[in-house]
Amino acid sequence: MTPQDAAPALAGALIALGLVDSAFSGFRAYAGRDARIRKGRAVVRASLRGLAVGGGLLLAPVFTAGAVLLAAADRHRAYAALAEGGIGFLVPLACYATAVLLSLAAYLVLPFRASTLAMVAGLGPLTLLRPLAVAAACAGVLVRGAGVSALLVGAVAGAAVLSVEPLVHRRWYAVPRG
């Protein structure tokens, strides 16, 4: 299977990762802003807000990729470069997502003290490393030799993903509830 054949699956995987990350970004924008004990509905609402904002922002790399394809003299070559770039972008993000899922599973499954340790030692640092994971994904595009156009699409995708949490925070959670 060539990267061009896998391009739809790559795009689907990247969009799925972006949407899941957007939901978590919405949660992070809300987390710590509400002193109530039972706040399940508020957490779901915050995650949906992140998902909505992320869904809108993830259209930016889709339109960028479309523009790259429309502007290319050789569309087959540009499509191949974008597919190679997609692989380079996906690998670091998949490794990061796996580490997050393992930490999250440890947090949810382990007893209280161990789950607290999993959150402090795993989820906390991984949240702080998130921009570096996006930078590694952009570097992955270059490592695959996909070229500047694929790097442009990756950079737009990375900027979109990293913008979700600040936008949700500013729109809905900038003022703390009393």
Side-chain angles (χ1 to χ4, degrees), residues 68-82 149:
V68 165
L69 287 174
L70 288 175
D74 184 359
R75 289 192 180 134
H76 182 71
R77 186 178 216 166
Y79 188 78
L82 290 177
S149 60

Side-chain angles (χ1 to χ4, degrees), residues 105-151:
Y107 171 71
L108 294 173
V109 172
L110 294 176
F112 178 74
R113 288 182 183 208
S115 69
T116 302
L117 178 63
M119 185 170 65
V120 170
L123 291 174
L126 285 171
T127 300
L128 296 175
L129 293 174
R130 197 167 148 263
L132 294 177
V134 172
C138 289
V141 172
L142 294 177
V143 167
R144 294 287 294 194
V148 175
S149 60
L151 179 61

